[in-house]
Amino acid sequence: MSSYQASRRLSGASAATFKGKVELHVHLDGSLRPESLFDIAQQRGIKVPVQDATDLRKYCCYHEHGEHSLKRFLDTFNFFIPIIRGDIDAIERVSYEFCQDQASQHIVYSEARYSPHLLATTVAFDGLEKKEYVSEEARLRDEKRTASPDDVVAAICRGLERGCRDTGVMVRSILCTMTNRPDWSMEVVELAAKYRSSGVVAIDMAGMEGFLPMEEHQPAFTRAKELGIHRTVHAGEIGIAENVRTAIEKLSAERIGHGYAIVNDASVYDLVKQRQTHLEACIYSSHLTGALKKLKTDQHPVVRWCADGMNCSLSTDDPGVMQDTLGDEYARAAALGLGEKDLVQMCFNAARSCFLPESEKEQLIRKLTEIHNAKL
């Protein structure tokens, strides 16, 4: 009998308050508090088209109505990223607040990912330079303020370090390359190497899947492997299953972000299962991005993955954008039919597949064993 069949069913409320969670796939810049964004905009003289933080949610949060697509989902970032972009104090602040928010959810370990380049001012990126609500005065003031990708990483490392110290939660970070900017990728690897001792544990490739061939990033991922830097890749989210194979075989991905498309291709599914490549599942975002529309099944992939003993776990993806929590994800998993044993198994899957050094990983697993009373 599979662990899925044998699991005790949990109510949505029990799953939502599930303690001792581990989250591997969460975007720091998709986890911002609307209240903080509004406050930072006020401090910087950025006149957002709202009167308070509640109204700001209309712009920086993704809503159920309308077409569900990854492009529409990512477009949300174009509104709020300019509010913090280049402001080192603000970037450090939201990093600190991320730790507070994770600790409040009984999450014992997280890996927060972000693109240093998207938060910097010394590089150009279409769609983020000018917004109609950024006043000329604020724009001129920010032109005098330069923040490089290096500055961004340093600020986030400081914020996370303080947040971990003050809250007791453990958070490490992952630096993202962007699908459409392979020219940034090698610098991302260099930054990951430089800040390894400050909590950076891996690199990722994020953005619109299929924008450019994934192989454009292969030199950077090869270099990361040579340096002993861990690797995860967004693949098989809205793209084809073959992208997952490319991520594993050509980019040396140790984990796959999303990967839902593997249910459409038996050979790729078997490859992932055989290698026990970890799958970072995000139930609600898979709905909002339209990732499930191309699948040849009505069953959510995470249900099959648990039934087949795949190495997978649950994460929120962008909780600030979706106004979601990891507890909500666990409640959704329970609603899909997953039981307590499945949820505990996914916590341990995440811990064993996290990018901590082995000694710290063993400590994390021991802590989870205490919390869950060695239920596995």
Side-chain angles (χ1 to χ4, degrees):
M1 181 177 289
S2 72
S3 63
Y4 167 58
Q5 294 169 318
S7 290
R8 180 172 70 85
R9 291 290 297 273
L10 289 178
S11 68
S14 297
T17 57
F18 194 83
K19 295 184 179 181
K21 299 184 287 290
V22 176
E23 184 165 30
L24 300 183
H25 191 115
V26 55
H27 293 262
L28 178 64
D29 47 357
S31 306
L32 310 182
R33 300 172 182 174
E35 297 79 9
S36 295
L37 286 170
F38 186 78
D39 185 46
I40 293 166
Q42 296 289 94
Q43 292 179 17
R44 296 185 68 184
I46 297 174
K47 299 179 180 179
V48 290
V50 296
Q51 297 300 312
D52 54 37
T54 300
D55 289 341
L56 190 65
R57 295 176 191 272
K58 300 175 185 177
Y59 292 89
C60 66
C61 300
Y62 192 93
H63 302 285
E64 281 277 354
H65 62 271
E67 179 189 7
H68 291 176
S69 71
L70 181 59
K71 182 181 184 303
R72 180 170 169 253
F73 187 89
L74 295 178
D75 281 346
T76 308
F77 287 75
N78 289 335
F79 176 85
F80 62 80
I81 290 298
I83 295 176
I84 64 168
R85 189 174 188 234
D87 188 326
I88 294 302
D89 291 338
I91 290 169
E92 183 172 341
R93 168 184 170 174
V94 299
S95 303
Y96 181 88
E97 291 175 346
F98 176 84
C99 295
Q100 293 178 316
D101 293 340
Q102 296 299 90
S104 71
Q105 298 178 64
H106 307 292
I107 298 172
V108 296
Y109 176 72
S110 306
E111 290 176 0
R113 61 187 71 190
Y114 63 95
S115 165
H117 293 76
L118 293 188
L119 297 176
T121 57
T122 56
V123 293
F125 189 74
D126 292 343
L128 294 180
E129 278 66 50
K130 296 182 179 180
K131 295 300 292 185
E132 61 278 6
Y133 56 79
V134 179
S135 69
E136 186 63 22
E137 179 184 357
R139 189 174 295 121
L140 290 173
R141 183 173 62 249
D142 284 351
E143 284 180 359
K144 301 176 182 178
R145 183 199 319 238
T146 59
S148 68
D150 192 302
D151 295 328
V152 169
V153 177
I156 289 175
C157 288
R158 288 195 301 271
L160 294 180
E161 192 278 329
R162 285 196 302 112
C164 290
R165 184 179 64 242
D166 291 351
T167 66
V169 72
M170 185 185 298
V171 180
R172 300 295 183 265
S173 57
I174 296 173
L175 307 187
C176 294
T177 66
M178 301 303 294
T179 54
N180 61 328
R181 295 303 299 260
D183 54 314
W184 292 349
S185 294
M186 200 60 79
E187 184 179 8
V188 169
V189 174
E190 293 168 358
L191 289 169
K194 178 178 179 179
Y195 286 95
R196 195 184 330 219
S197 62
S198 299
V200 176
V201 294
I203 65 167
D204 175 30
M205 184 169 71
M208 277 296 294
E209 188 175 359
F211 193 95
L212 287 174
M214 298 170 73
E215 291 85 349
E216 299 252 351
H217 296 264
Q218 189 169 354
F221 277 79
T222 298
R223 180 58 178 156
K225 184 177 182 181
E226 292 171 351
L227 293 172
I229 296 169
H230 291 291
R231 301 150 313 278
T232 181
V233 173
H234 282 68
E237 180 180 11
I238 62 166
I240 60 175
E242 196 62 27
N243 289 347
V244 175
R245 186 193 305 277
T246 299
I248 294 171
E249 295 184 345
K250 295 187 177 181
L251 302 186
S252 301
E254 300 162 83
R255 297 192 331 225
I256 296 295
H258 306 293
Y260 315 115
I262 67 171
V263 300
N264 289 343
D265 189 315
S267 66
V268 178
Y269 195 93
D270 289 344
L271 171 69
V272 173
K273 185 175 183 180
Q274 181 182 39
R275 296 200 182 191
Q276 280 293 289
T277 302
H278 188 82
L279 297 161
E280 306 159 354
C282 308
I283 296 173
Y284 193 36
S285 84
S286 69
H287 166 63
L288 294 180
T289 61
L292 306 180
K293 293 187 292 186
K294 298 180 181 179
L295 302 186
K296 301 173 183 176
T297 176
D298 293 330
Q299 182 185 61
H300 196 284
V302 75
V303 176
R304 179 180 171 187
W305 294 347
C306 286
D308 288 349
M310 302 286 272
N311 182 8
C312 64
S313 66
L314 293 178
S315 294
T316 52
D317 203 2
D318 297 283
V321 174
M322 300 182 298
Q323 290 299 281
D324 193 33
T325 68
L326 190 53
D328 294 333
E329 286 292 294
Y330 275 65
R332 292 187 183 96
L336 290 173
L338 300 183
E340 181 181 19
K341 191 172 182 180
D342 294 303
L343 301 185
V344 173
Q345 179 68 62
M346 286 192 282
C347 287
F348 278 89
N349 289 345
R352 293 180 181 121
S353 300
C354 78
F355 292 144
L356 282 173
E358 285 303 317
S359 60
E360 294 180 52
K361 185 183 295 188
E362 290 172 5
Q363 292 175 16
L364 173 61
I365 293 171
R366 284 198 295 270
K367 185 171 185 177
L368 289 178
T369 301
E370 293 173 2
I371 293 172
H372 296 293
N373 297 314
K375 293 177 181 177
L376 294 182

Coordinates of all heavy atoms in Angstrom, one line a residue, residues 118-165:
L118 N 17.5 42.1 -10.9 CA 16.2 42.8 -11.0 C 16.0 43.8 -9.9 O 15.1 44.7 -10.0 CB 15.0 41.8 -11.0 CG 14.9 40.8 -12.2 CD1 13.6 40.0 -12.0 CD2 14.9 41.6 -13.5
L119 N 16.7 43.7 -8.8 CA 16.6 44.6 -7.7 C 17.7 45.7 -7.7 O 17.8 46.6 -6.9 CB 16.7 43.9 -6.4 CG 15.5 42.9 -6.2 CD1 15.7 42.1 -4.9 CD2 14.2 43.6 -6.1
A120 N 18.6 45.6 -8.7 CA 19.7 46.5 -8.8 C 19.4 47.7 -9.8 O 18.4 47.6 -10.6 CB 21.0 45.8 -9.3
T121 N 20.1 48.8 -9.7 CA 19.9 49.9 -10.6 C 21.0 50.1 -11.6 O 20.9 50.9 -12.5 CB 19.8 51.2 -9.8 OG1 21.0 51.4 -9.0 CG2 18.6 51.2 -8.9
T122 N 22.1 49.3 -11.5 CA 23.2 49.4 -12.4 C 23.1 48.6 -13.7 O 24.0 48.6 -14.5 CB 24.5 49.0 -11.7 OG1 24.4 47.7 -11.2 CG2 24.8 50.0 -10.6
V123 N 21.9 47.8 -13.8 CA 21.7 47.1 -15.0 C 20.3 47.5 -15.5 O 19.4 47.9 -14.7 CB 21.7 45.5 -14.7 CG1 23.1 45.1 -14.4 CG2 20.7 45.2 -13.6
A124 N 20.1 47.3 -16.8 CA 18.8 47.7 -17.4 C 18.0 46.5 -17.6 O 18.5 45.4 -17.9 CB 19.0 48.4 -18.7
F125 N 16.7 46.6 -17.4 CA 15.8 45.5 -17.6 C 14.4 46.1 -18.1 O 13.8 46.8 -17.3 CB 15.6 44.7 -16.4 CG 14.8 43.4 -16.6 CD1 15.5 42.3 -17.2 CD2 13.5 43.2 -16.2 CE1 14.8 41.1 -17.5 CE2 12.9 42.1 -16.4 CZ 13.5 41.0 -17.0
D126 N 14.0 45.7 -19.2 CA 12.8 46.2 -19.8 C 11.6 46.0 -18.9 O 11.4 45.0 -18.3 CB 12.5 45.5 -21.1 CG 13.5 45.9 -22.2 OD1 14.2 46.9 -22.0 OD2 13.5 45.2 -23.2
G127 N 10.8 47.1 -18.7 CA 9.6 47.0 -17.9 C 9.8 47.5 -16.5 O 8.8 47.7 -15.8
L128 N 11.0 47.7 -16.0 CA 11.2 48.0 -14.7 C 11.8 49.4 -14.5 O 11.9 50.0 -13.4 CB 12.1 47.0 -14.0 CG 11.6 45.6 -13.8 CD1 12.6 44.8 -13.1 CD2 10.3 45.7 -13.0
E129 N 12.2 50.1 -15.6 CA 12.9 51.3 -15.5 C 11.9 52.5 -15.1 O 12.2 53.3 -14.3 CB 13.6 51.7 -16.8 CG 14.9 51.1 -17.0 CD 14.8 49.6 -17.2 OE1 14.0 49.1 -18.0 OE2 15.5 48.8 -16.5
K130 N 10.8 52.5 -15.8 CA 9.9 53.6 -15.6 C 8.5 53.1 -15.3 O 8.0 52.3 -16.1 CB 9.9 54.6 -16.8 CG 11.3 55.3 -17.0 CD 11.2 56.2 -18.2 CE 12.5 56.9 -18.5 NZ 12.4 57.8 -19.6
K131 N 7.9 53.7 -14.3 CA 6.5 53.4 -14.1 C 5.8 54.8 -14.0 O 6.4 55.8 -13.5 CB 6.2 52.7 -12.8 CG 6.8 51.2 -12.8 CD 6.2 50.4 -13.9 CE 4.8 50.1 -13.6 NZ 4.2 49.1 -14.6
E132 N 4.6 54.9 -14.5 CA 3.9 56.2 -14.5 C 3.7 56.8 -13.1 O 3.5 58.0 -13.0 CB 2.5 56.0 -15.2 CG 1.5 55.1 -14.5 CD 1.8 53.6 -14.8 OE1 2.8 53.3 -15.5 OE2 1.0 52.8 -14.4
Y133 N 3.7 56.0 -12.1 CA 3.4 56.5 -10.7 C 4.7 57.0 -10.1 O 4.7 57.5 -9.0 CB 2.7 55.5 -9.9 CG 3.4 54.2 -9.7 CD1 4.5 54.0 -8.9 CD2 3.0 53.1 -10.5 CE1 5.2 52.8 -8.7 CE2 3.7 51.9 -10.4 CZ 4.7 51.7 -9.5 OH 5.4 50.6 -9.4
V134 N 5.9 56.7 -10.7 CA 7.2 57.2 -10.1 C 7.4 58.6 -10.5 O 7.5 58.9 -11.7 CB 8.3 56.3 -10.5 CG1 9.6 56.8 -9.9 CG2 8.1 54.8 -10.1
S135 N 7.4 59.5 -9.5 CA 7.5 61.0 -9.8 C 8.9 61.3 -10.4 O 9.8 60.6 -10.2 CB 7.3 61.8 -8.6 OG 8.3 61.6 -7.7
E136 N 9.0 62.4 -11.1 CA 10.2 62.8 -11.7 C 11.2 63.1 -10.6 O 12.4 62.8 -10.7 CB 10.0 64.0 -12.6 CG 11.3 64.5 -13.3 CD 11.7 63.4 -14.3 OE1 10.9 62.6 -14.7 OE2 12.9 63.5 -14.7
E137 N 10.7 63.7 -9.5 CA 11.6 64.0 -8.4 C 12.2 62.7 -7.8 O 13.4 62.6 -7.6 CB 10.8 64.7 -7.3 CG 11.6 65.0 -6.0 CD 10.8 65.7 -4.9 OE1 9.6 65.9 -5.2 OE2 11.3 65.9 -3.9
A138 N 11.4 61.7 -7.6 CA 11.9 60.4 -7.1 C 12.9 59.8 -8.1 O 13.9 59.2 -7.7 CB 10.7 59.5 -6.8
R139 N 12.6 59.9 -9.4 CA 13.4 59.3 -10.4 C 14.8 59.9 -10.4 O 15.8 59.3 -10.5 CB 12.7 59.4 -11.7 CG 13.4 58.5 -12.8 CD 12.6 58.5 -14.1 NE 11.4 57.8 -13.9 CZ 10.2 58.4 -14.2 NH1 10.1 59.6 -14.5 NH2 9.1 57.7 -14.0
L140 N 14.8 61.3 -10.3 CA 16.1 62.0 -10.3 C 16.9 61.7 -9.1 O 18.1 61.5 -9.2 CB 15.8 63.5 -10.4 CG 15.3 64.0 -11.8 CD1 14.9 65.5 -11.7 CD2 16.3 63.8 -12.9
R141 N 16.2 61.5 -8.0 CA 16.9 61.2 -6.7 C 17.5 59.8 -6.8 O 18.7 59.6 -6.4 CB 15.9 61.3 -5.5 CG 16.6 61.0 -4.2 CD 15.7 61.3 -3.0 NE 14.6 60.4 -3.0 CZ 13.3 60.8 -3.3 NH1 13.1 62.1 -3.5 NH2 12.3 59.9 -3.3
D142 N 16.8 58.9 -7.4 CA 17.3 57.5 -7.5 C 18.4 57.4 -8.5 O 19.2 56.4 -8.5 CB 16.1 56.6 -7.9 CG 15.2 56.3 -6.7 OD1 15.6 56.7 -5.6 OD2 14.2 55.7 -6.9
E143 N 18.5 58.3 -9.5 CA 19.6 58.2 -10.4 C 20.9 58.4 -9.8 O 21.9 58.0 -10.2 CB 19.4 59.3 -11.5 CG 18.3 58.9 -12.5 CD 18.1 59.9 -13.6 OE1 18.8 61.0 -13.6 OE2 17.3 59.7 -14.5
K144 N 20.9 59.1 -8.6 CA 22.1 59.4 -7.9 C 22.4 58.2 -7.0 O 23.5 58.1 -6.4 CB 22.0 60.7 -7.0 CG 21.7 61.9 -7.9 CD 21.4 63.1 -6.9 CE 21.1 64.3 -7.8 NZ 20.8 65.5 -6.9
R145 N 21.5 57.3 -6.8 CA 21.6 56.2 -5.9 C 21.9 54.9 -6.8 O 21.1 54.5 -7.6 CB 20.4 56.0 -5.1 CG 20.4 54.8 -4.1 CD 19.1 54.3 -3.7 NE 18.1 55.4 -3.4 CZ 17.5 55.6 -2.3 NH1 17.7 54.8 -1.3 NH2 16.6 56.6 -2.2
T146 N 23.1 54.4 -6.7 CA 23.4 53.2 -7.5 C 23.5 52.0 -6.6 O 24.1 52.0 -5.5 CB 24.8 53.4 -8.2 OG1 25.8 53.6 -7.3 CG2 24.7 54.5 -9.2
A147 N 22.9 50.9 -7.0 CA 22.9 49.7 -6.3 C 23.2 48.6 -7.3 O 22.4 48.3 -8.2 CB 21.6 49.4 -5.6
S148 N 24.3 47.9 -7.1 CA 24.8 46.9 -8.0 C 24.1 45.5 -7.6 O 23.7 45.4 -6.4 CB 26.3 46.8 -8.0 OG 26.7 46.3 -6.8
P149 N 24.2 44.5 -8.4 CA 23.7 43.2 -8.0 C 24.5 42.7 -6.7 O 23.9 42.1 -5.8 CB 24.0 42.3 -9.2 CG 23.9 43.2 -10.3 CD 24.4 44.5 -9.9
D150 N 25.8 43.1 -6.6 CA 26.6 42.7 -5.5 C 26.0 43.4 -4.2 O 25.9 42.8 -3.1 CB 28.0 43.1 -5.7 CG 29.0 42.6 -4.6 OD1 28.8 42.9 -3.4 OD2 29.9 41.8 -5.0
D151 N 25.7 44.7 -4.3 CA 25.1 45.4 -3.2 C 23.8 44.8 -2.8 O 23.5 44.7 -1.6 CB 24.8 46.9 -3.6 CG 26.1 47.7 -3.9 OD1 27.1 47.4 -3.3 OD2 26.0 48.6 -4.8
V152 N 23.0 44.4 -3.7 CA 21.7 43.7 -3.4 C 21.9 42.5 -2.6 O 21.2 42.2 -1.6 CB 20.9 43.5 -4.7 CG1 19.7 42.6 -4.4 CG2 20.5 44.8 -5.4
V153 N 22.8 41.6 -3.1 CA 23.0 40.3 -2.4 C 23.5 40.6 -1.0 O 23.1 40.0 0.0 CB 24.1 39.5 -3.1 CG1 24.3 38.2 -2.4 CG2 23.5 39.1 -4.5
A154 N 24.4 41.6 -0.8 CA 25.0 41.9 0.5 C 23.8 42.3 1.5 O 23.8 41.9 2.6 CB 26.0 43.0 0.4
A155 N 22.9 43.2 0.9 CA 21.8 43.7 1.8 C 20.9 42.6 2.2 O 20.5 42.5 3.3 CB 21.1 44.8 1.0
I156 N 20.6 41.7 1.2 CA 19.7 40.6 1.6 C 20.3 39.6 2.5 O 19.7 39.2 3.5 CB 19.2 39.9 0.3 CG1 18.3 40.8 -0.5 CG2 18.5 38.6 0.6 CD1 17.9 40.3 -1.9
C157 N 21.6 39.4 2.4 CA 22.3 38.5 3.3 C 22.2 39.1 4.7 O 22.0 38.4 5.7 CB 23.7 38.3 2.9 SG 23.9 37.2 1.5
R158 N 22.4 40.4 4.8 CA 22.4 41.1 6.1 C 21.0 41.0 6.7 O 20.8 40.7 7.9 CB 22.7 42.6 6.0 CG 24.2 42.9 5.7 CD 24.5 44.3 6.0 NE 23.8 45.2 5.1 CZ 24.1 45.6 3.9 NH1 25.3 45.2 3.4 NH2 23.4 46.5 3.2
G159 N 19.9 41.3 5.9 CA 18.6 41.2 6.4 C 18.2 39.8 6.9 O 17.6 39.6 7.9
L160 N 18.6 38.8 6.1 CA 18.2 37.4 6.5 C 19.0 37.0 7.7 O 18.4 36.3 8.6 CB 18.6 36.5 5.3 CG 17.7 36.6 4.0 CD1 18.1 35.6 3.0 CD2 16.2 36.5 4.3
E161 N 20.3 37.4 7.8 CA 21.1 37.0 9.0 C 20.4 37.6 10.3 O 20.3 36.9 11.3 CB 22.5 37.5 8.8 CG 23.5 36.9 9.8 CD 23.5 37.7 11.2 OE1 23.2 38.9 11.2 OE2 23.7 37.0 12.2
R162 N 20.1 38.9 10.2 CA 19.4 39.5 11.4 C 18.1 38.9 11.7 O 17.8 38.6 12.9 CB 19.2 41.0 11.1 CG 20.4 41.9 11.2 CD 20.1 43.3 11.4 NE 19.3 43.9 10.3 CZ 18.0 44.2 10.4 NH1 17.4 44.2 11.6 NH2 17.3 44.7 9.4
G163 N 17.3 38.6 10.6 CA 16.0 38.0 10.8 C 16.1 36.6 11.5 O 15.3 36.2 12.3
C164 N 17.1 35.8 11.0 CA 17.3 34.5 11.6 C 17.7 34.6 13.0 O 17.2 33.8 13.9 CB 18.3 33.7 10.8 SG 17.8 33.2 9.1
R165 N 18.6 35.5 13.3 CA 19.1 35.6 14.7 C 17.9 36.1 15.6 O 17.8 35.5 16.7 CB 20.2 36.7 14.7 CG 20.8 36.8 16.1 CD 21.9 37.9 16.1 NE 21.4 39.2 15.8 CZ 21.8 39.9 14.7 NH1 22.6 39.4 13.8 NH2 21.3 41.1 14.5

